[in-house]
Amino acid sequence: YPDEAQYWLWSRELAFGYFSKPPMIAWLIWLTTTLGGDAEAWVRLSAPLLHGATALVIYRLAQRLYGGWPGLAAAAIYSLMPGVVLSSGLMATDAPLLFFLSLTIWAYVALPDASAGRRAPVAAGLGAALGLAFLSKYAAIYALGSIALHFLVSKDARRRWSPMTAAIFLAAFVLVLAPNLAWNASHQFSTVKHTAAN
């Protein structure tokens, strides 16, 4: 569809941002078309792979929280949702967004139970995953807002954060997002203006 053609054109010249979207979609198309060529199947290949990976993360997340059968049910429900089935056949920003958001949630759930030696890597993974979600679609800002809201309303949520884990999370998030912010700054924040206009 027309948006896919635009994303494919972007993938011919890699950058840290584009007029209307962050760069992840162009990077993914560049990767798959470099491997197999410019046929539609190669342009779209990362969408079903990312949705499949998201289903696996959802399985592990639900299994951790509720056990084996709920994990399997959650993965099946995700995989069979009409929007996911449709999105698996098109190259759009939703597949990478949902994958990186699922990793973000997985790390967020793992953070309170992480041992002292693993808290820093989990916090860094949480920040990096959220940064990659932002590089996929700016709608990831809702996840950041949800984490902040959870912190404000839940005493348990506040206990999961120490000053060190918060600093590591923010450092990883900013480090991953910084090239896109720099690109936007050097292009008069064209992506931000376009997104705000919509």
Side-chain angles (χ1 to χ4, degrees):
Y1 71 107
D3 286 2
E4 288 176 306
Q6 179 180 342
Y7 304 149
W8 174 82
L9 284 173
W10 290 347
S11 76
R12 304 300 90 193
E13 190 175 324
L14 294 181
F16 284 111
Y18 298 92
F19 168 69
S20 61
K21 297 280 188 287
M24 185 63 69
I25 193 159
W27 296 351
L28 291 168
I29 293 171
W30 174 86
L31 177 63
T32 57
T33 56
T34 298
L35 292 173
D38 292 322
E40 285 181 33
W42 286 98
V43 170
R44 295 175 172 162
L45 179 62
S46 60
L49 295 177
L50 286 168
H51 279 303
T54 303
L56 290 175
V57 174
I58 288 171
Y59 167 75
R60 295 290 303 193
L61 179 59
Q63 182 187 42
R64 178 188 182 102
L65 292 172
Y66 307 110
W69 284 110
L72 188 59
I77 290 168
Y78 174 83
S79 298
L80 296 173
M81 288 191 310
V84 170
V85 172
L86 176 65
S87 180
S88 294
L90 302 171
M91 193 57 208
T93 55
D94 296 328
L97 171 72
L98 292 172
F99 173 66
F100 291 119
L101 283 180
S102 70
L103 291 178
T104 301
I105 295 167
W106 190 10
Y108 188 73
V109 167
L111 189 60
D113 299 328
S115 63
R118 288 187 30 89
R119 287 182 68 79
V122 171
L126 174 60
L130 186 57
L132 291 168
F134 264 88
L135 292 180
S136 301
K137 192 171 187 176
Y138 294 124
I141 195 165
Y142 299 121
L144 183 61
S146 297
I147 291 170
L149 184 60
H150 191 222
F151 181 85
L152 290 173
V153 301
S154 169
K155 193 178 287 187
D156 288 336
R158 287 190 290 278
R159 275 193 224 112
R160 84 179 55 210
W161 295 101
S162 69
M164 175 70 92
T165 55
I168 292 169
F169 161 73
L170 287 172
F173 174 67
V174 169
L175 186 64
V176 169
L177 199 54
N180 180 252
L181 295 174
W183 182 91
N184 269 290
S186 68
H187 290 83
Q188 295 76 46
F189 292 95
S190 60
T191 307
V192 176
K193 290 176 187 171
H194 172 81
T195 305
N198 288 332

